[in-house]
Amino acid sequence: MKKTKSVVASVVFGTSLLAGAYAFAGSEKADLKTDKVAFFGTPSSSISSSVSIPKQYNQLWISGTVPPILNSNGKTIYEKYGDTEKQAEGIFKNLEAQLEAKGLSLKDVVYLRVYVASDPAKGGKPDYTGFFNAYGKFFNTKENPVKTARSTVGVESLVNPDWLIEIEAFVAYK
């Protein structure tokens, strides 16, 4: 009989106070009839529990983005692509470049779906902390106060066994 692993989903919640096209909604009972994107949740969390996007916003879905090769001559996963944190950083830089090419930025991202694969160096378990550390360098910062809504899912593997993470992004913009 083939042994299978369970998929583990982890969703974390939070909010953000944003200027410009965003509205702060610290309470789940906030008015949804605003003309701004509204993030909901608790201030202590690094992400939002939900996001309301008014109908006048355009939407962009970015397919699963995978890590860039750091060293094509690398002999190990970590030499070729880095650990989970380094791979996630590469993905966020790639997403940032994709968005900039379209006149957008990471400040326009409202939702992320993240797949974290089992890491041999972590006892075959997903390195969620590595991903969370990378996320914290690009979101919920002074430069980018957006706290996206997000799902983080542990998976056994991705298409390339050297990839430890893949990230999908949902963007809302005017």
Side-chain angles (χ1 to χ4, degrees):
M1 181 190 293
K2 185 177 176 184
K3 184 178 176 184
T4 60
K5 283 192 173 182
S6 299
V7 175
V8 179
S10 170
V11 182
V12 186
F13 304 102
T15 62
S16 153
L17 176 58
L18 303 172
Y22 297 94
F24 174 72
S27 166
E28 295 297 331
K29 294 182 181 180
D31 181 13
L32 292 178
K33 295 180 183 179
T34 177
D35 62 347
K36 298 178 185 337
V37 172
F39 293 81
F40 299 88
T42 60
S44 62
S45 181
S46 63
I47 67 172
S48 296
S49 60
S50 61
V51 180
S52 173
I53 302 166
K55 66 182 175 184
Q56 68 268 28
Y57 276 74
N58 297 302
Q59 300 173 13
L60 173 69
W61 289 82
I62 299 177
S63 293
T65 303
V66 297
I69 294 176
L70 301 175
N71 176 1
S72 59
N73 297 320
K75 305 277 188 244
T76 69
I77 293 171
Y78 312 101
E79 290 173 357
K80 274 186 175 176
Y81 293 96
D83 60 10
T84 300
E85 184 170 349
K86 186 56 115 179
Q87 289 189 22
E89 288 172 5
I91 291 170
F92 284 131
K93 288 176 184 172
N94 180 318
L95 289 172
E96 193 169 43
Q98 287 184 57
L99 291 167
E100 284 178 8
K102 295 171 177 63
L104 303 169
S105 76
L106 290 175
K107 291 179 181 178
D108 298 303
V109 175
V110 296
Y111 180 80
L112 296 171
R113 182 173 299 116
V114 183
Y115 303 94
V116 184
S118 301
D119 183 343
K122 300 287 182 181
K125 296 182 185 215
D127 180 10
Y128 296 112
T129 301
F131 164 66
F132 298 151
N133 290 341
Y135 174 87
K137 294 174 186 176
F138 294 87
F139 295 93
N140 193 26
T141 66
K142 183 177 180 182
E143 298 79 26
N144 180 14
V146 168
K147 296 188 328 182
T148 66
R150 183 182 80 211
S151 296
T152 305
V153 181
V155 297
E156 184 174 346
S157 66
L158 296 167
V159 173
N160 180 331
D162 290 344
W163 295 338
L164 299 173
I165 189 162
E166 182 173 335
I167 302 174
E168 300 172 357
F170 180 76
V171 180
Y173 63 97
K174 277 189 168 185

